[in-house]
Amino acid sequence: MNVLQVQNLHKSFGGIHAIDHCSFSVEENSITGLIGPNGAGKTTMFDLINGLLTPDEGHVLIKNQNVTGWPTYKRARLGLSRTFQAIRVFPELTALENIVVAFKGHPSKLYQAFVPLKKKNRDLEKRAMEYMETVGIADKAHLRAGDLSYGQQKLLEIARCMATDADIFLLDEPAAGVNPTLLNTIKQLILKLHQQGKTLLIVEHNMPFLMSIAHKIIVMNFGKELAIGSPEEIQNNPRVLEAYLGKKREE
Amino acid sequence: MTDYILNLLTLIIIMSMITLCLNVIIGYIGYLHLGLVGIWAVGSYAYALMAVHGFPFFVAMLGGGIFAGAAGLLLGLPTLRLKSHYFGIASLGLMYIVYSLLLNLTDLTRGPLGIPGILRPTLFGISFSGPAMYFVLTLAVSLVVGFLLYRILKSPFGKILETIREDEIAAKALGKNTYAYKLQAFVLSSFFVGIISALSASYFQYISPTGFQVEQLIFFLAALMVGGAGSFWGGIVGAFVLLTIQELTRFIPLTPNAVGPVRTMIYALLLIFVMLYKPDGLMGKKMKVYQR
Ligand SMILES: Nc1ncnc2c1ncn2[C@@H]1O[C@H](COP(=O)(O)OP(=O)(O)O)[C@@H](O)[C@H]1O
Ligand SMILES: [Mg+2]
């Protein structure tokens, strides 16, 4: 089953067709790579999928529901989560708080300021701690999130997505700018999420990394899908080599 | 002398509470709220008009809260979808709209003449008109308002307000209906400004449109910046410091027409000093006036 479908999606900024009548779908419990040269429209595609941008034409379907007009928060509640190319943690909150606020059961209604929540809050913190352990930054739980290293913030962002109980993860360049050890941690984390039945759509420039985990690759160029196939097919597709991989290899 | 101190303390408490309400918006959700004085004016006039028409004190006070809260709702509904700096401009507009309404709806507001004779109340047979008793009343009401706001800001609801200040886009992506949170925070802040308006109007016993202008807005903004936006005690400490300094200038021997300029200079120096050495304010957190 396809949990995510993009149909004939179009988005222009002034004269630039950032997304140019693009269509593809993502299968449930798959790891799908989304690649393309810089400026191909990958981040814009994520913004359209999670509702930060509205398309000029076309549709976005999540779990077979047409969510095209929906606000971002409603799409998130449907099980869609994402990380950002430029990290967006809540820097003045502690790392732990960053996770606690992401829980669906976070008792954040106004009236709940006046009911006793000690136990509930302790439970939430305990659960948040488990997520911090999963991504391996439990010892940083009580630091200001803004004081974590770049890599730790990336892990925190993924943990925060997990805490929302999402089953679809859009990861925007999870491997960019991280050292080999962390790269491996992130890889294991992605494989673990996949094992738990989650669906992942990953934008990434690190080809060995992506090719080693992805089941399917979607190549975008100039806002359009250029090729869709298995990692092997994509690596041997002459059009892709010309538009993207070929140039890279010559470097 | 004691009366003088008590009057001063009463004023400090009142201004602290209004700065605290401003902090809810600027410090917690990170929206540049420049309409505060407009909300304060609505609350003050609502209270004053009800009080001079014989409504009981607490009823008139609640009326001030409800009218101010409604003004907040009307301003917030269309503008809280905007980003912080656009919201700032729109909310500043509210102050000017309210000001010109107060001047021109003369049948209701008496225009520039203002509303005199706003008495301090007698409750349960006890008169609260003297400095000591009025101080007690102010303190009691402020403790209740302060306690409620403290509970709210320290609760999970308050945490979500902070995520909006920190990164509204990320908050949305986590499934938070940020618009609903902002609107609730704004109505809440406005409502409490209206409640405190009852205390300020009865403190001065007279209100007029000139009391609700940019000058007052600058005082509250300066108090919040000095104290530190985003920390609960920030606005309270800031208002305390600024008003204390303002009072101390009285003891400098100055010709009357030098008092105003000297006071402004001292504010300016203090602000520059704080911005240089403690850019987040005495108590605290970053004041974010832009959004990515
Ligand atoms: N908000 C925007 N305003 C104008 N142009 C934009 C905006 N966002 C993206 N673009 C343009 O759209 C194109 C695609 O950008 P982006 O989606 O960031 O590419 P990628 O993530 O694949 O590198 C680029 O040409 C970029 O300059
Ligand atoms: Mg990008």
Side-chain angles (χ1 to χ4, degrees):
Chain A
M1 193 189 97
N2 292 323
V3 285
L4 177 65
Q5 279 166 277
V6 167
Q7 297 175 342
N8 199 31
L9 213 58
H10 190 88
K11 179 73 185 178
S12 313
F13 297 110
I16 303 168
H17 301 299
I19 299 295
D20 194 0
H21 299 101
C22 184
S23 304
F24 61 78
S25 54
V26 175
E27 252 172 70
E28 189 173 8
N29 195 207
S30 70
I31 301 179
T32 305
L34 180 60
I35 66 171
N38 278 322
K42 305 177 297 293
T43 297
T44 306
M45 180 55 79
F46 274 15
D47 288 346
L48 289 167
I49 293 173
N50 93 324
L52 290 175
L53 292 173
T54 31
D56 305 329
E57 287 173 53
H59 303 283
V60 175
L61 278 75
I62 299 173
K63 298 178 182 173
N64 291 326
Q65 283 213 56
N66 187 343
V67 300
T68 309
W70 289 27
T72 300
Y73 78 90
K74 275 196 182 160
R75 299 184 196 204
R77 289 178 187 180
L78 210 54
L80 179 78
S81 70
R82 89 173 266 193
T83 64
F84 294 88
Q85 188 176 349
I87 300 178
R88 288 178 179 275
V89 296
F90 305 120
E92 289 280 336
L93 271 53
T94 67
L96 193 72
E97 285 172 338
N98 264 266
I99 303 204
V100 170
V101 295
F103 286 128
K104 271 195 177 134
H106 187 243
S108 58
K109 297 230 163 46
L110 181 53
Y111 79 86
Q112 288 173 311
F114 299 100
V115 298
L117 290 170
K118 274 234 165 65
K119 189 179 171 307
K120 170 131 203 170
N121 285 334
R122 232 182 299 123
D123 288 350
L124 289 181
E125 282 182 12
K126 221 177 106 207
R127 272 179 61 207
M129 212 55 201
E130 285 163 17
Y131 283 107
M132 307 234 24
E133 274 156 22
T134 307
V135 302
I137 50 172
D139 55 327
K140 312 286 183 230
H142 299 288
L143 292 185
R144 229 179 121 260
D147 289 340
L148 301 187
S149 75
Y150 178 77
Q152 291 160 348
Q153 291 190 22
K154 284 203 140 173
L155 292 169
L156 180 60
E157 231 192 353
I158 297 175
R160 204 171 61 175
C161 288
M162 293 164 68
T164 64
D165 243 349
D167 35 35
I168 308 170
F169 289 69
L170 311 180
L171 307 182
D172 202 346
E173 305 203 8
V178 304
N179 66 44
T181 321
L182 188 58
L183 191 64
N184 194 44
T185 310
I186 290 175
K187 183 170 166 177
Q188 297 311 320
L189 201 54
I190 290 170
L191 293 174
K192 187 169 180 173
L193 286 170
H194 173 248
Q195 263 176 12
Q196 292 172 355
K198 313 289 188 190
T199 306
L200 297 108
L201 177 62
I202 304 172
V203 167
E204 193 42 69
H205 287 297
N206 184 332
M207 287 307 135
F209 169 79
L210 193 62
M211 296 297 174
S212 72
I213 52 172
H215 310 130
K216 185 169 101 177
I217 302 278
I218 300 163
V219 186
M220 280 182 74
N221 200 18
F222 299 114
K224 255 200 219 355
E225 76 283 6
L226 179 76
I228 301 177
S230 69
E232 296 74 37
E233 285 164 1
I234 293 301
Q235 276 163 313
N236 298 316
N237 184 323
R239 289 173 66 199
V240 175
L241 293 177
E242 187 190 316
Y244 185 75
L245 291 172
K247 265 187 250 161
K248 276 247 154 174
R249 279 185 180 167
E250 279 161 24
E251 284 171 6
Chain B
M1 186 63 193
T2 16
D3 282 0
Y4 167 75
I5 302 261
L6 283 171
N7 274 328
L8 178 59
L9 283 177
T10 306
L11 181 66
I12 287 176
I13 293 172
I14 290 170
M15 300 307 251
S16 303
M17 295 314 290
I18 296 176
T19 315
L20 172 61
C21 293
L22 180 65
N23 196 4
V24 173
I25 307 306
I26 292 185
Y28 281 79
I29 66 174
Y31 270 59
L32 187 58
H33 180 16
L34 301 178
L36 175 77
V37 167
I39 304 283
W40 187 29
V42 171
S44 300
Y45 269 81
Y47 164 78
L49 288 170
M50 288 175 80
V52 296
H53 284 96
F55 282 88
F57 177 72
F58 283 117
V59 174
M61 177 181 257
L62 194 63
I66 288 169
F67 274 92
L73 184 66
L74 282 180
L75 172 64
L77 274 173
T79 58
L80 282 170
R81 293 195 189 277
L82 305 174
K83 286 191 172 183
S84 171
H85 41 292
Y86 297 116
F87 172 79
I89 292 165
S91 63
L92 185 63
L94 176 86
M95 187 179 73
Y96 287 107
I97 291 168
V98 170
Y99 180 74
S100 74
L101 286 177
L102 295 180
L103 274 185
N104 294 305
L105 293 178
T106 42
D107 289 346
L108 187 65
T109 65
R110 299 178 14 110
L113 298 176
I115 300 176
I118 309 164
L119 298 180
R120 296 179 182 181
T122 297
L123 303 165
F124 324 112
I126 305 164
S127 164
F128 284 88
S129 60
M133 289 314 280
Y134 199 66
F135 170 77
V136 169
L137 179 66
T138 300
L139 187 64
V141 172
S142 299
L143 282 176
V144 172
V145 170
F147 170 77
L148 292 176
L149 282 173
Y150 186 84
R151 276 302 290 247
I152 289 167
L153 292 174
K154 299 284 176 185
S155 76
F157 175 85
K159 263 306 158 223
I160 301 297
L161 300 188
E162 291 195 66
T163 67
I164 295 173
R165 172 195 71 211
E166 295 291 291
D167 197 320
E168 185 166 357
I169 286 177
K172 284 180 184 167
L174 292 176
K176 309 298 172 192
N177 183 355
T178 56
Y179 176 67
Y181 281 99
K182 289 186 285 186
L183 203 55
Q184 288 177 70
F186 200 64
V187 170
L188 206 67
S189 159
S190 303
F191 173 79
F192 283 121
V193 168
I195 295 290
I196 300 300
S197 297
L199 296 174
S200 59
S202 274
Y203 174 83
F204 297 113
Q205 303 182 25
Y206 166 72
I207 55 172
S208 76
T210 47
F212 302 101
Q213 290 180 285
V214 175
E215 197 187 327
Q216 285 75 22
L217 175 63
I218 288 177
F219 170 84
F220 292 118
L221 289 172
L224 189 56
M225 278 162 91
V226 167
S231 115
F232 179 81
W233 296 102
I236 295 170
V237 168
F240 183 88
V241 169
L242 243 60
L243 281 173
T244 308
I245 289 178
Q246 186 175 309
E247 277 309 302
L248 289 177
T249 59
R250 279 176 193 266
F251 298 102
I252 308 172
L254 288 169
T255 54
N257 57 1
V259 171
V262 166
R263 212 174 255 183
T264 314
M265 267 171 56
I266 290 173
Y267 275 10
L269 284 175
L270 187 71
L271 266 179
I272 291 170
F273 185 80
V274 169
M275 291 301 118
L276 280 178
Y277 294 100
K278 213 120 179 19
D280 301 338
L282 298 175
M283 305 300 290
K285 288 194 182 142
K286 283 190 184 60
M287 175 159 128
K288 217 185 65 177
V289 290
Y290 74 94
Q291 288 171 323
R292 14 175 207 154

